[in-house]
Amino acid sequence: MLTPDRISLNTATVKEQWTLAQCIEGCARHGLGGISPWRDKLQEMGVTNAAKAIRDTGIRVSGLCRGGWYTGDGALTNAVLDDNRRAVDEAAGIGAECLVMVVGGLLPGSRDIGAARAMVEEGLAHTLDYARTAGINVAIEPLHPMTAADRAVVNTLRQALDICDRLGPGIGVAVDVYHVWWDPEVKAQIRRAGKDRLMAFHICDWLVPTTDLLNDRGMMGDGVIDIPGLRAEAESAGFDGLNEVEIFSTGNWWQRDPDEVLSTIVERGRIAC
Ligand code: ZN
């Protein structure tokens, strides 16, 4: 059972319907404890305006989505590294508890996943150096292996935590149940992460059948993920952050009245999380 004050709204969940200003007001209206903006919505509103609106409502900022994409240019270009520094600045500007990293897929035209993974780790090291000076936590989000080619070559919590071990303090993981629920090691790796490296916890559900691998995520309770079990593991490992609801849903939740979406989130928090 999750009370609304323990829930954060990832703005992707209502991205077709609401601006960031509307999301902030919506969170306050439904009693949610926090928000996690995407950068496009944040840039549209402006960091200063968003920071003020968030402060005025008193909600937390469980994260900023997202930095990363280190492999997109085929090399660690200044453009890529600068964009990640800007992401850190934006996270600091709105008081985000972490900057979530979607690290990038294969290099354009390449079949060398090892090279992509090496580039990602080097890129993360650069961003982490800068993030430490800004006091921002960097959270690697391992993505389901179906996304390895085009989105993220970091695919398990074990792999992400191995990178964290090598890079040191200030970097941890965003556990998104949609991406890691299937992993036989998921609970052991949540325990391994521990309080300091469990920086974010994203919830939604895996529908059966799933009709689109990116944009057919389910509302908590409508699928097969043991959300209470994974959440209990994270909490017993010391995680005390918010549970961030992140649902990409072209055919369903993006079509609905966003107030209905938020009411449903609050209800499912009570009965399905
Ligand atoms: Zn996520």
Side-chain angles (χ1 to χ4, degrees):
M1 142 118 189
L2 268 180
T3 49
D5 59 302
R6 308 275 320 284
I7 296 175
S8 171
L9 175 71
N10 183 299
T11 62
T13 305
V14 287
K15 77 168 202 173
E16 299 294 334
Q17 302 105 309
W18 271 351
T19 62
L20 180 53
Q22 290 173 307
C23 289
I24 294 165
E25 289 160 18
C27 286
R29 194 159 62 243
H30 289 267
L32 300 190
I35 193 164
S36 177
W38 278 58
R39 291 182 67 203
D40 54 343
K41 288 212 187 285
L42 177 59
Q43 288 163 1
E44 198 178 274
M45 183 173 185
V47 173
T48 311
N49 287 340
K52 181 176 184 319
I54 291 166
R55 247 193 336 269
D56 288 349
T57 61
I59 58 174
R60 289 164 64 175
V61 182
S62 56
L64 176 66
C65 289
R66 61 198 178 184
W69 295 100
Y70 293 109
T71 51
D73 288 353
L76 283 179
T77 58
N78 285 333
V80 168
L81 295 174
D82 279 349
D83 186 59
N84 277 289
R85 279 190 285 268
R86 266 196 305 278
V88 170
D89 292 340
E90 290 164 7
I94 56 169
E97 291 167 17
C98 65
L99 173 63
V100 172
M101 308 303 274
V102 171
V103 297
L106 293 174
L107 280 57
S110 163
R111 292 188 174 88
D112 188 347
I113 197 168
R117 285 175 167 150
M119 188 176 294
V120 160
E121 187 160 335
E122 195 187 334
L124 284 167
H126 282 285
T127 303
L128 179 59
D129 276 345
Y130 184 70
R132 282 178 179 143
T133 68
I136 290 296
N137 283 327
V138 175
I140 306 171
E141 182 165 343
L143 260 52
H144 193 286
M146 68 187 173
T147 68
D150 59 351
R151 289 177 184 272
V153 291
V154 175
N155 306 106
T156 63
L157 282 169
R158 173 190 283 274
Q159 186 193 357
L161 288 166
D162 286 349
I163 294 170
C164 296
D165 282 348
R166 292 190 288 270
L167 297 186
I171 190 162
V173 292
V175 176
D176 185 324
V177 299
Y178 195 74
H179 290 298
V180 300
W181 69 276
W182 56 272
D183 183 349
E185 292 193 331
V186 60
K187 288 189 176 177
Q189 295 297 325
I190 286 172
R191 286 194 294 278
R192 171 187 170 197
K195 180 178 170 53
D196 289 347
R197 298 193 296 187
L198 288 170
M199 294 176 172
F201 193 76
H202 297 176
I203 56 175
C204 70
D205 217 333
W206 186 284
L207 298 175
V208 181
T210 288
T211 58
D212 182 297
L213 294 181
L214 187 61
N215 292 324
D216 188 32
R217 294 185 176 206
M219 180 63 69
M220 297 81 73
D222 287 345
V224 295
I225 301 177
D226 176 18
I227 298 169
L230 294 173
R231 188 165 77 78
E233 200 65 52
E235 287 176 6
S236 78
F239 179 72
D240 59 2
L242 297 174
N243 295 259
E244 187 176 314
V245 177
E246 184 182 37
I247 302 173
F248 306 90
S249 172
T250 317
N252 187 355
W253 299 100
W254 287 350
Q255 305 291 329
R256 300 204 194 197
D257 172 353
D259 277 301
E260 181 199 345
V261 178
L262 265 65
S263 310
T264 308
I265 287 171
V266 168
E267 181 203 348
R268 297 300 177 81
R270 267 201 309 274
I271 61 176
C273 295

